[in-house]
Amino acid sequence: MTITITAFESSPDRGRGLARDMRVRWALEEVGQPYDVRLLSFEAMKQPAHKALHPFGQIPTYEEGELALFESGAIVFHIADRHAGLLPGDANGRARAVGWMFASLNTVEPPIFDRSMVMILERDQPWYEHRLRALDDIIRKRLDDLSAHLGDADWLDGAFSAADLLMVTVLRRAQGSGIVDAYPNLAAYIARAEARPAYQRAFAAQLAVFNAATPTG
Ligand code: GTB
């Protein structure tokens, strides 16, 4: 059955692979599932046709036959659940990997996301510097603990899994802040993940969308 996902027609990240369709593309590449992409403008995302798929009018979505999903974490979990390669075969290892998937989205991502929103929306506010420093402190706390957990291991818990895929997409969003560079093992973790052929294919695919939408010269 054909898998169709949605992505930005013109991503504000300018092809850096920071929008959340990147997670879904990467997961599909890891498990070797071909997929189509329906590109949407911001306006189209808010129309009833798309809101029937995504109640909040966002990307990404995932359609496969009768099934329609939204929320990148749920989509990545679905892909990992249905195909071999992204979750351990043993029940306890699988449960731990799912725990790390939640940790990436519920514990590590929120302050990183908030920081990027503050930078976009609150730059002119009197509290801007204070709020940014407070968020940086929270992010550092999270990364201190994540770095200590990872140590010199390649991945969060044994073999590469959907948890690493999600965690790396979250950490990439913080890279522009310079905070991640203070943790050599996390920087190496991101680089190791980005070197995976599946990541490379997913990154190239989303970059091609940006390049096609951007006039050159
Ligand atoms: N919790 C949902 C999920 O994980 O799927 C969040 C989905 C979401 O935030 N989607 C964003 C969206 O559709 C795109 S990814 N926004 C349009 C809207 O809400 O109207 C978030 C994103 C956007 C831009 C950058 N960037 O420019 O760097 C990075 C990430």
Side-chain angles (χ1 to χ4, degrees), residues 8 11-13 16 18-21 23 42 45-46 54 56-60 70-73 113 173:
F8 282 130
S11 180
D13 75 357
R16 286 178 296 151
L18 298 176
R20 289 183 174 102
D21 59 295
R23 301 166 172 179
F42 278 91
M45 273 179 234
K46 307 305 173 198
H54 194 311
F56 304 107
Q58 297 183 311
I59 60 99
F70 64 98
E71 278 299 327
S72 59
F113 175 80
R173 188 99 189 255

Short mmCIF file of all heavy atoms in Angstrom, two decimals, residues 8 11-13 16 18-21 23 42 45-46 54 56-60 70-73 113 173, ligand 1:
data_model
loop_
_atom_site.label_atom_id
_atom_site.label_comp_id
_atom_site.label_asym_id
_atom_site.label_seq_id
_atom_site.Cartn_x
_atom_site.Cartn_y
_atom_site.Cartn_z
N PHE A 8 6.19 20.61 4.39
CA PHE A 8 6.09 22.00 3.94
C PHE A 8 6.40 22.10 2.45
O PHE A 8 7.40 21.53 1.99
CB PHE A 8 7.13 22.88 4.64
CG PHE A 8 6.81 23.28 6.05
CD1 PHE A 8 7.75 23.11 7.06
CD2 PHE A 8 5.59 23.87 6.36
CE1 PHE A 8 7.48 23.52 8.36
CE2 PHE A 8 5.32 24.28 7.66
CZ PHE A 8 6.26 24.10 8.66
N SER A 11 9.85 25.10 3.27
CA SER A 11 10.11 25.00 4.71
C SER A 11 10.85 26.24 5.22
O SER A 11 11.84 26.66 4.63
CB SER A 11 10.96 23.76 5.01
OG SER A 11 11.20 23.70 6.40
N PRO A 12 10.37 26.79 6.35
CA PRO A 12 11.07 27.96 6.92
C PRO A 12 12.49 27.62 7.38
O PRO A 12 13.28 28.53 7.62
CB PRO A 12 10.18 28.36 8.10
CG PRO A 12 9.16 27.31 8.27
CD PRO A 12 9.17 26.41 7.08
N ASP A 13 12.82 26.35 7.48
CA ASP A 13 14.19 26.01 7.93
C ASP A 13 15.19 26.06 6.77
O ASP A 13 16.37 25.77 6.95
CB ASP A 13 14.21 24.66 8.62
CG ASP A 13 14.09 23.49 7.66
OD1 ASP A 13 13.93 23.70 6.44
OD2 ASP A 13 14.14 22.35 8.13
N ARG A 16 17.24 22.76 6.06
CA ARG A 16 18.16 22.20 7.06
C ARG A 16 17.64 20.91 7.69
O ARG A 16 18.28 20.35 8.58
CB ARG A 16 18.47 23.25 8.14
CG ARG A 16 19.42 24.34 7.63
CD ARG A 16 19.68 25.39 8.70
NE ARG A 16 18.45 26.09 9.04
CZ ARG A 16 18.19 26.62 10.24
NH1 ARG A 16 19.06 26.53 11.22
NH2 ARG A 16 17.05 27.25 10.46
N LEU A 18 15.01 20.50 9.67
CA LEU A 18 14.61 20.66 11.07
C LEU A 18 13.11 20.51 11.27
O LEU A 18 12.65 20.37 12.41
CB LEU A 18 15.06 22.04 11.59
CG LEU A 18 16.57 22.28 11.58
CD1 LEU A 18 16.89 23.70 12.02
CD2 LEU A 18 17.27 21.27 12.49
N ALA A 19 12.35 20.53 10.19
CA ALA A 19 10.90 20.35 10.33
C ALA A 19 10.62 18.87 10.60
O ALA A 19 11.44 17.99 10.32
CB ALA A 19 10.18 20.84 9.08
N ARG A 20 9.45 18.60 11.15
CA ARG A 20 9.23 17.27 11.70
C ARG A 20 8.92 16.19 10.66
O ARG A 20 8.85 15.01 11.00
CB ARG A 20 8.15 17.34 12.79
CG ARG A 20 8.68 18.04 14.04
CD ARG A 20 7.64 18.05 15.13
NE ARG A 20 8.15 18.57 16.37
CZ ARG A 20 7.91 19.80 16.83
NH1 ARG A 20 7.19 20.64 16.13
NH2 ARG A 20 8.38 20.17 18.00
N ASP A 21 8.76 16.59 9.41
CA ASP A 21 8.63 15.53 8.39
C ASP A 21 9.95 14.77 8.26
O ASP A 21 9.97 13.61 7.84
CB ASP A 21 8.24 16.11 7.03
CG ASP A 21 9.25 17.12 6.52
OD1 ASP A 21 9.39 18.19 7.17
OD2 ASP A 21 9.94 16.84 5.52
N ARG A 23 11.80 13.46 10.50
CA ARG A 23 11.79 12.24 11.33
C ARG A 23 11.09 11.09 10.61
O ARG A 23 11.50 9.94 10.68
CB ARG A 23 10.96 12.48 12.61
CG ARG A 23 11.43 13.55 13.44
CD ARG A 23 10.41 13.95 14.49
NE ARG A 23 11.10 14.89 15.35
CZ ARG A 23 10.57 15.50 16.37
NH1 ARG A 23 9.33 15.26 16.71
NH2 ARG A 23 11.27 16.32 17.09
N PHE A 42 1.28 26.93 3.93
CA PHE A 42 0.70 27.21 5.26
C PHE A 42 -0.81 27.34 5.15
O PHE A 42 -1.55 26.89 6.03
CB PHE A 42 1.31 28.48 5.86
CG PHE A 42 2.64 28.22 6.52
CD1 PHE A 42 3.82 28.33 5.82
CD2 PHE A 42 2.70 27.83 7.86
CE1 PHE A 42 5.04 28.09 6.43
CE2 PHE A 42 3.91 27.57 8.48
CZ PHE A 42 5.09 27.70 7.76
N MET A 45 -2.59 23.99 4.81
CA MET A 45 -2.60 23.22 6.07
C MET A 45 -3.80 23.54 6.94
O MET A 45 -4.19 22.75 7.79
CB MET A 45 -1.35 23.58 6.89
CG MET A 45 -0.14 22.77 6.59
SD MET A 45 1.17 23.39 7.65
CE MET A 45 2.37 23.72 6.41
N LYS A 46 -4.34 24.75 6.76
CA LYS A 46 -5.46 25.17 7.62
C LYS A 46 -6.81 24.91 6.98
O LYS A 46 -7.85 25.24 7.55
CB LYS A 46 -5.32 26.68 7.95
CG LYS A 46 -3.96 27.07 8.52
CD LYS A 46 -3.56 26.27 9.76
CE LYS A 46 -2.13 26.56 10.19
NZ LYS A 46 -1.55 25.55 11.08
N HIS A 54 -5.30 16.17 10.04
CA HIS A 54 -4.52 16.70 11.18
C HIS A 54 -5.36 17.78 11.86
O HIS A 54 -5.47 18.90 11.35
CB HIS A 54 -3.20 17.29 10.66
CG HIS A 54 -2.20 17.54 11.75
ND1 HIS A 54 -2.52 18.20 12.91
CD2 HIS A 54 -0.89 17.18 11.86
CE1 HIS A 54 -1.43 18.25 13.69
NE2 HIS A 54 -0.45 17.63 13.07
N PHE A 56 -4.91 19.82 14.07
CA PHE A 56 -4.26 21.10 14.40
C PHE A 56 -3.71 21.79 13.16
O PHE A 56 -3.03 22.81 13.26
CB PHE A 56 -3.16 20.86 15.45
CG PHE A 56 -3.70 20.18 16.68
CD1 PHE A 56 -3.41 18.85 16.95
CD2 PHE A 56 -4.55 20.86 17.54
CE1 PHE A 56 -3.94 18.21 18.06
CE2 PHE A 56 -5.09 20.23 18.66
CZ PHE A 56 -4.79 18.90 18.92
N GLY A 57 -3.97 21.22 12.00
CA GLY A 57 -3.57 21.87 10.76
C GLY A 57 -2.07 22.00 10.59
O GLY A 57 -1.57 23.05 10.17
N GLN A 58 -1.35 20.93 10.89
CA GLN A 58 0.12 20.96 10.79
C GLN A 58 0.62 19.81 9.92
O GLN A 58 -0.13 18.93 9.50
CB GLN A 58 0.73 20.82 12.20
CG GLN A 58 0.37 21.98 13.13
CD GLN A 58 1.04 21.85 14.47
OE1 GLN A 58 0.99 20.81 15.11
NE2 GLN A 58 1.66 22.92 14.92
N ILE A 59 1.93 19.84 9.69
CA ILE A 59 2.61 18.70 9.08
C ILE A 59 3.53 18.11 10.16
O ILE A 59 3.88 18.85 11.10
CB ILE A 59 3.43 19.09 7.82
CG1 ILE A 59 4.51 20.14 8.13
CG2 ILE A 59 2.52 19.59 6.74
CD1 ILE A 59 5.87 19.63 8.32
N PRO A 60 3.90 16.84 10.12
CA PRO A 60 3.58 15.88 9.07
C PRO A 60 2.32 15.08 9.37
O PRO A 60 1.88 15.00 10.52
CB PRO A 60 4.80 14.93 9.13
CG PRO A 60 5.18 14.91 10.59
CD PRO A 60 4.87 16.30 11.10
N PHE A 70 -1.47 11.53 12.58
CA PHE A 70 -0.71 12.78 12.74
C PHE A 70 0.12 12.61 14.01
O PHE A 70 -0.02 11.61 14.71
CB PHE A 70 -1.64 14.00 12.82
CG PHE A 70 -2.56 14.01 14.01
CD1 PHE A 70 -2.23 14.75 15.14
CD2 PHE A 70 -3.74 13.28 14.03
CE1 PHE A 70 -3.07 14.78 16.24
CE2 PHE A 70 -4.59 13.29 15.14
CZ PHE A 70 -4.25 14.04 16.24
N GLU A 71 1.00 13.57 14.29
CA GLU A 71 1.99 13.55 15.39
C GLU A 71 3.19 12.71 14.98
O GLU A 71 3.11 11.48 14.85
CB GLU A 71 1.41 13.03 16.71
CG GLU A 71 0.66 14.05 17.51
CD GLU A 71 1.50 15.27 17.95
OE1 GLU A 71 2.70 15.13 18.21
OE2 GLU A 71 0.93 16.37 17.99
N SER A 72 4.30 13.41 14.83
CA SER A 72 5.50 12.74 14.31
C SER A 72 5.94 11.56 15.18
O SER A 72 6.38 10.53 14.66
CB SER A 72 6.64 13.75 14.14
OG SER A 72 6.96 14.37 15.37
N GLY A 73 5.82 11.70 16.52
CA GLY A 73 6.24 10.61 17.40
C GLY A 73 5.38 9.37 17.17
O GLY A 73 5.88 8.23 17.11
N PHE A 113 12.44 23.38 21.95
CA PHE A 113 11.38 23.98 21.13
C PHE A 113 11.05 25.39 21.65
O PHE A 113 10.95 26.34 20.88
CB PHE A 113 10.15 23.07 21.16
CG PHE A 113 8.97 23.66 20.44
CD1 PHE A 113 8.90 23.60 19.05
CD2 PHE A 113 7.96 24.29 21.13
CE1 PHE A 113 7.83 24.16 18.38
CE2 PHE A 113 6.88 24.86 20.48
CZ PHE A 113 6.82 24.79 19.09
N ARG A 173 17.92 20.37 16.46
CA ARG A 173 17.21 21.65 16.58
C ARG A 173 17.95 22.59 17.53
O ARG A 173 17.82 23.80 17.44
CB ARG A 173 15.79 21.37 17.08
CG ARG A 173 14.86 22.56 17.07
CD ARG A 173 13.98 22.55 15.86
NE ARG A 173 13.23 23.78 15.73
CZ ARG A 173 11.94 23.92 16.01
NH1 ARG A 173 11.25 22.87 16.42
NH2 ARG A 173 11.32 25.07 15.86
N1 GTB B 1 3.72 17.72 17.85
C1 GTB B 1 3.60 17.79 16.40
C2 GTB B 1 4.44 16.68 15.76
O1 GTB B 1 5.42 16.25 16.37
O2 GTB B 1 4.07 16.21 14.67
C3 GTB B 1 4.09 19.17 15.98
C4 GTB B 1 3.95 19.38 14.49
C5 GTB B 1 4.49 20.74 14.09
O3 GTB B 1 4.93 21.53 14.93
N2 GTB B 1 4.48 20.97 12.79
C6 GTB B 1 4.97 22.22 12.28
C7 GTB B 1 3.87 22.91 11.49
O4 GTB B 1 3.12 22.27 10.80
C8 GTB B 1 6.14 21.97 11.32
S1 GTB B 1 7.50 21.18 12.15
N3 GTB B 1 3.79 24.23 11.62
C9 GTB B 1 2.84 25.01 10.88
C10 GTB B 1 1.74 25.50 11.74
O5 GTB B 1 1.66 25.11 12.94
O6 GTB B 1 0.94 26.28 11.23
C11 GTB B 1 8.03 22.48 13.31
C12 GTB B 1 9.15 23.30 12.71
C13 GTB B 1 8.89 24.38 11.93
C14 GTB B 1 9.95 25.16 11.46
C15 GTB B 1 11.25 24.83 11.78
N4 GTB B 1 12.34 25.65 11.34
O7 GTB B 1 12.12 26.57 10.57
O8 GTB B 1 13.49 25.39 11.76
C16 GTB B 1 11.50 23.71 12.57
C17 GTB B 1 10.43 22.95 13.04
#
